[in-house]
Amino acid sequence: VWRAVSSGEGGGPGGSARDLGVQASKQASEAGALRERAEKAEKELEEREEGYRWQRSQAEKLRGQLRAELKVREQLELSLQQTEESFSSLLAATQACATCSRVSAPLARPSSAAGGRRA
C-alpha cells in the first residue's frame, strides 16, 4: 500500500517526478489545444461579424434605394393626380363647348343656309 501511494499510483498526492512530468505535459497539450480552439473560434467570430457588417451595409443601401423609389412614386402619383384634374377640367370645358355648339348650331344654320339652295 505504501509503495502504491508513494509512487503515485492510484492518483495519490505523492506522485513521482515522472508522473508529474507526464501530467504537466498532458495539461500543456490540452492547454495548447484549447488555445487553438479559442483562436479558431475568435477568427470565426471576426468573420461572422464582418459578414454581418456587410449585410447591414447592403440593407442600408437597399433602404436608401427604397426611400428614393418611394419619393419617385409619390411624385408620379402627384403628377398623375394633377393630370387627371387637368383632363377633367378639359373634358368639362369640351362638354360645355359642345353643349354651347349644339345650342348655337340651329341659330347659325339659317343664316348660313339662307344663301344656299333648298331641295
Side-chain angles (χ1 to χ4, degrees):
V1 176
W2 169 256
R3 193 169 173 210
V5 171
S6 67
S7 68
E9 292 176 16
S16 70
R18 182 170 108 35
D19 291 342
L20 291 175
V22 168
Q23 187 177 2
S25 175
K26 217 184 223 187
Q27 288 177 346
S29 176
E30 289 173 3
L34 286 173
R35 196 174 310 117
E36 285 179 22
R37 285 178 38 203
E39 288 172 359
K40 184 178 177 183
E42 187 176 345
K43 184 178 179 182
E44 189 176 310
L45 178 63
E46 288 174 2
E47 289 172 356
R48 285 184 182 181
E49 287 175 344
E50 180 63 31
Y52 293 145
R53 280 191 292 271
W54 181 83
Q55 287 177 342
R56 271 188 244 126
S57 72
Q58 294 300 312
E60 195 55 42
K61 286 178 185 178
L62 289 173
R63 277 189 209 104
Q65 289 175 351
L66 288 173
R67 280 189 217 109
E69 289 176 11
L70 183 60
K71 285 181 182 179
V72 168
R73 181 179 176 157
E74 288 171 353
Q75 291 172 348
L76 286 172
E77 287 176 353
L78 179 61
S79 178
L80 177 62
Q81 181 182 358
Q82 291 171 344
T83 301
E84 287 173 345
E85 289 170 0
S86 295
F87 181 74
S88 293
S89 297
L90 182 60
L91 183 61
T94 302
Q95 288 173 342
C97 186
T99 302
C100 190
S101 296
R102 272 185 257 133
V103 169
S104 64
L107 300 175
R109 272 193 210 140
S111 63
S112 64
R117 295 183 191 164
R118 293 191 173 198

